[in-house]
Amino acid sequence: MICDNISVNEKGHLTFAGIDTTELAKKYGTPLYLMDENKIRERVRVYKNAMERYFPKGSMPEFASKAFSCKQIYRIMAEEGIDIDVVSAGEIFTASSAGFPMDRAFFHGNSKTDEEIRFAMEKGVGTFVADNEEELKAINEIAGEMGKKQRVLLRVSPGIDPHTHKKISTGSTESKFGVAIETGQAKGFVKLAIELENVELQGYHCHIGSQIFESEPFATTLEIMLGFIVEMKKAFNFEPEILNIGGGFGVRYVEQEPVIDYDEKIKEVSYVLNKQCERFGIAIPKIHMEPGRSLVADAGMTLYTVTNVKEVKGYKNYVSIDGGMTDNPRYTLYESPYTVVLASRANDEKDFVATISGRCCESGDLIQEDVNITKPLKDEILAVLTTGAYNYSMASNYNRVPRPPVVMLKDGEDYLAVKRESLEDICSLDI
Ligand SMILES: *Cc1c(COP(=O)(O)O)cnc(C)c1O
């Protein structure tokens, strides 16, 4: 199967992390998010060990928690001893409520409000990744009011197009994120950070996009960023302690996509780093990376119950499920590919071409179009694989559909990490 935590048992049922998925569907109901805790920890360790091995001491992965945010994931990351990214008061509150050491959190985002900045400082967030000059001034002012000196990284845009989907490409000069190097504005940003009294400039941050399979775009990014470091050293005699090169390594959603050896990719990036630092005559900064999806995507799976199969003669076949864009909006947003398997008969011939359709009143509410699956019967369990990233975290209550629970699987056991939303929950804020 697409990942080594997926298999088929003697009954022909799909298993995930060694557990029969049809049994889990019976126990918890559907739709149901499953997360393989061991796989998450395994991935975190691959990144952490590789970064310790190939980069200078103090280099560290940060989990981009927008990919999957709930209290339990922050507890896991705390136990694994890695840093996290947070982007909102909501993520900060969740991490802090879970007891995550907030000194290890990096606060991102291109549109932080003053209230959020203050809230983040009160919660002890260690580092702010300042996106623009107005924000940097606000951080400085609020830190001053609170009698703090706030650590900051500056987000700059290196002017890179990593050839990924336009909506997940974030490092080009015209991007809404960060301050552009190409236009010369990034230099003014650095000058300001050095001058402001209540911020302590630690270095630079960039993030070029997501679903990147090669190390080459990162190498190009590094060359640009190191060139920028040299320029800033000349201009202001400032050398950064940290260079954050962002997240974005790809994930294998379908068989046609390559298997990624993250250790090998990180090693490739380190060659470029060492070579270029030597060439430019600068100290090698501590490297931070911010993997989101590559830590959690294939630790996830979603189970649905088939509600009906509709064959539009001469046109299209639809398999309708009891979930859809409310629990996984990624096909609707980006036409993301996914692998779909009939969990109750996972070894049967996949000779039915079907479009998996969600339950919302939108023609665009689809999980996949025209994929080969085993023709299901009503009430059978359908599994969508590799849904651990940007599914639960992007879920909505459109059509007032309650969000599914998250069940974690660990060492052959299952436990609830997030409860199923109830109909009462849906109305809980209504007056
Ligand atoms: C989304 C994002 C990430 C994570 O991207 P993945 O593709 O999930 O690895 C990292 N850093 C920043 C700033 C992001 O916006």
Side-chain angles (χ1 to χ4, degrees), residues 64 66 85 108 155 205 207 210-211 247-248 290-293 390:
K66 70 179 196 225
D85 289 358
H108 280 272
R155 178 157 188 170
H205 167 274
H207 170 70
S210 290
Q211 203 49 0
E290 304 164 332
R293 79 187 61 217
Y390 306 107

Side-chain angles (χ1 to χ4, degrees), residues 339-372:
T339 304
V340 184
V341 180
L342 186 62
S344 27
R345 288 182 283 130
N347 279 333
D348 286 15
E349 204 63 48
K350 293 173 179 48
D351 52 3
F352 188 61
V353 178
T355 289
I356 315 302
S357 70
R359 54 176 304 157
C360 287
C361 300
E362 295 283 332
S363 296
D365 177 12
L366 305 173
I367 293 290
Q368 263 328 260
E369 278 182 283
D370 301 324
V371 285
N372 277 73

Side-chain angles (χ1 to χ4, degrees), residues 174-237:
E174 63 172 23
S175 164
K176 76 165 181 173
F177 297 105
V179 179
I181 292 179
E182 188 189 309
T183 59
Q185 288 164 293
K187 188 175 175 184
F189 196 25
V190 175
K191 183 164 184 283
L192 178 66
I194 292 171
E195 285 167 1
L196 292 176
E197 272 189 8
N198 309 315
V199 299
E200 181 194 334
L201 180 60
Q202 292 232 297
Y204 309 122
H205 167 274
C206 61
H207 170 70
I208 55 174
S210 290
Q211 203 49 0
I212 300 164
F213 285 92
E214 298 303 326
S215 55
E216 187 243 290
F218 290 99
T220 314
T221 304
L222 263 178
E223 291 193 21
I224 294 170
M225 293 303 293
L226 294 173
F228 181 66
I229 288 175
V230 171
E231 206 190 310
M232 293 306 102
K233 187 182 170 187
K234 275 190 201 138
F236 308 116
N237 197 26

Side-chain angles (χ1 to χ4, degrees), residues 35-93:
M35 290 298 277
D36 173 358
E37 183 177 332
N38 293 347
K39 176 59 78 184
I40 297 170
R41 290 182 187 269
E42 175 193 317
R43 274 294 157 65
V44 169
R45 288 171 198 176
V46 167
Y47 265 95
K48 190 163 183 266
N49 294 339
M51 293 185 68
E52 279 170 6
R53 198 172 322 134
Y54 306 121
F55 294 142
K57 194 166 185 304
S59 296
M60 176 63 82
E62 298 160 18
F63 172 51
S65 70
K66 70 179 196 225
F68 179 79
S69 176
C70 68
K71 285 186 183 178
Q72 182 60 4
I73 198 77
Y74 293 116
R75 294 184 194 113
I76 293 171
M77 296 305 163
E79 281 176 20
E80 292 296 326
I82 72 162
D83 296 350
I84 56 165
D85 289 358
V86 287
V87 186
S88 66
E91 288 179 359
I92 291 168
F93 184 74

